[in-house]
Amino acid sequence: MSERVVHLELHTPALGDAASFYEGLCGWRPEQIRTPWGSYVTLELGGGLDGGIVECPAPRPLWLPYVEVDN
């Protein structure tokens, strides 16, 4: 069985602040894109893992991992 985290997504009410924080802390390169649903920042994390930041009215920031499975 192959299960591994392939994408990390941060849900936060402060997209710009979060992107700047993680760029400085981890060296992740944020790139803002527009979607039909609003702003989204992609993150190049390296090592076969990608990520993103979603601006939403979350009561507190939270990380949502996406896991690859066989089926």
Side-chain angles (χ1 to χ4, degrees), residues 4-69:
R4 64 183 184 98
V5 174
V6 295
H7 184 85
L8 287 174
E9 194 168 86
L10 177 63
H11 291 223
T12 179
L15 185 141
D17 291 341
S20 295
F21 175 77
Y22 285 105
E23 180 179 22
L25 181 68
C26 302
W28 295 344
R29 293 178 296 216
E31 179 182 338
Q32 186 160 3
I33 60 173
R34 297 281 177 208
T35 72
W37 306 277
S39 293
Y40 188 84
V41 170
T42 63
L43 298 171
E44 186 176 321
L45 308 179
L49 181 65
D50 65 2
I53 303 173
V54 176
E55 189 165 47
C56 63
R60 61 179 174 74
L62 64 98
W63 284 100
L64 178 64
Y66 288 71
V67 178
E68 179 182 278
V69 297

